[in-house]
Amino acid sequence: DSGVTQTPKHLITATGQRVTLRCSPRSGDLSVYWYQQSLDQGLQFLIQYYNGEERAKGNILERFSAQQFPDLHSELNLSSLELGDSALYFCASSVGFQGGEEQFFGPGTRLTVL
Amino acid sequence: SQKIEQNSEALNIQEGKTATLTCNYTNYSPAYLQWYRQDPGRGPVFLLLIRENEKEKRKERLKVTFDTTLKQSLFHITASQPADSATYLCAFRDNYGQNFVFGPGTRLSVLP
């Protein structure tokens, strides 16, 4: 158990809908990262937050947004969902923000868009 | 263009042998490189980190090397066991774009 929790575990929804994925980092970790993993794309970095501020942005679509709250939990919002958004979404956390730290990954949320 | 590649999609080896996995990158200059293990349907688990000024790092049966001239990292598992069967990912932070980049992974199967 990494100490990172993600909810929900599974999500099934329809095209055009909007969903919110939730992540609670390990106790003491200030950085939260979001990744998307699909079969044909591998693990893709979406965005990083450190202590409530956006720190780095990867290949995150404009339809997607995220935030980190004062209690350090984070939410990833996916809107106008398309079939291609079906994937495993992982949240990870680390102590700092430089990037050399070990990232602890959560169990993931499996999103299926029908 | 920027690329990160891992030597093969799948690697089968016999129990007790040494598994060697390769990570190559193009048009990146990472200050460090990490290796993760991922089991099916689960999140990656951190194994080792090696910095650009380190040639080699060891942890129990694991060894990683980092050659910034060749733009390559090698990951070795000695005395491999069936429990080592998993997908292994290399990763680093792109110093310029600040993206975290993961390789496509090598699926290792250790046969008893």
Side-chain angles (χ1 to χ4, degrees), chain A residues 37 48 57 97 99-101, chain B residues 32 34 38 49 93 99-100:
Chain A
Q37 188 172 41
Q48 177 197 2
K57 209 165 186 173
F97 62 84
E101 304 87 7
Chain B
Y32 65 88
Q34 296 178 332
Q38 187 174 25
L49 176 147
R93 179 170 216 156
N99 282 351
F100 283 90

Side-chain angles (χ1 to χ4, degrees), chain A residues 2-77:
Chain A
S2 67
V4 177
T5 60
Q6 289 187 247
T7 56
K9 198 173 169 71
H10 300 277
L11 201 47
I12 301 174
T13 188
T15 54
Q17 295 299 303
R18 182 178 190 275
V19 296
T20 297
L21 312 184
R22 195 179 192 279
C23 169
S24 291
R26 277 189 337 149
S27 176
D29 285 356
L30 299 178
S31 267
V32 167
Y33 313 78
W34 285 98
Y35 293 89
Q36 178 192 58
Q37 188 172 41
S38 55
L39 282 173
D40 58 344
Q41 291 279 345
L43 201 61
Q44 299 289 315
F45 169 67
L46 296 178
I47 198 162
Q48 177 197 2
Y49 280 84
Y50 175 77
N51 206 20
E53 300 288 326
E54 183 184 303
R55 191 73 197 174
K57 209 165 186 173
N59 303 318
I60 187 165
L61 300 172
E62 282 191 16
R63 300 184 287 110
F64 297 0
S65 65
Q67 55 184 321
Q68 186 180 27
F69 295 88
D71 67 352
L72 300 177
H73 91 270
S74 179
E75 292 181 355
L76 179 67
N77 301 296

Side-chain angles (χ1 to χ4, degrees), chain A residues 33 35 37 42-45 48 55-59 88 90 97-107 110, chain B residues 32 34 36 38-47 49 51 87 89 92-93 95 97-104:
Chain A
Y33 313 78
Y35 293 89
Q37 188 172 41
L43 201 61
Q44 299 289 315
F45 169 67
Q48 177 197 2
R55 191 73 197 174
K57 209 165 186 173
N59 303 318
L88 256 175
F90 287 107
F97 62 84
Q98 295 289 358
E101 304 87 7
E102 171 181 357
Q103 292 184 37
F104 295 86
F105 281 77
R110 183 172 293 280
Chain B
Y32 65 88
Q34 296 178 332
Y36 287 80
Q38 187 174 25
D39 292 287
R42 305 190 71 153
V45 175
F46 173 82
L47 296 174
L49 176 147
R51 300 191 185 278
T87 296
L89 306 165
F92 53 76
R93 179 170 216 156
N95 277 347
Q98 297 293 294
N99 282 351
F100 283 90
V101 182
F102 275 78

Side-chain angles (χ1 to χ4, degrees), chain B residues 28-112:
Chain B
Y28 287 111
S29 297
Y32 65 88
L33 197 140
Q34 296 178 332
W35 283 88
Y36 287 80
R37 168 187 172 136
Q38 187 174 25
D39 292 287
R42 305 190 71 153
V45 175
F46 173 82
L47 296 174
L48 277 170
L49 176 147
I50 185 165
R51 300 191 185 278
E52 60 181 339
N53 59 350
E54 297 173 316
K55 292 282 190 218
E56 182 180 296
K57 206 82 169 279
R58 289 176 187 261
K59 181 183 173 182
E60 297 170 356
R61 294 184 296 110
L62 309 179
K63 183 178 90 170
V64 64
T65 63
F66 191 12
D67 189 326
T68 55
T69 303
L70 290 178
K71 296 187 182 293
Q72 179 182 82
S73 175
L74 299 179
F75 178 78
H76 307 272
I77 306 175
T78 58
S80 58
Q81 305 164 1
D84 295 326
S85 299
T87 296
Y88 292 85
L89 306 165
C90 61
F92 53 76
R93 179 170 216 156
D94 169 18
N95 277 347
Y96 297 104
Q98 297 293 294
N99 282 351
F100 283 90
V101 182
F102 275 78
T106 295
R107 191 171 63 252
L108 175 68
S109 296
V110 181
L111 308 172

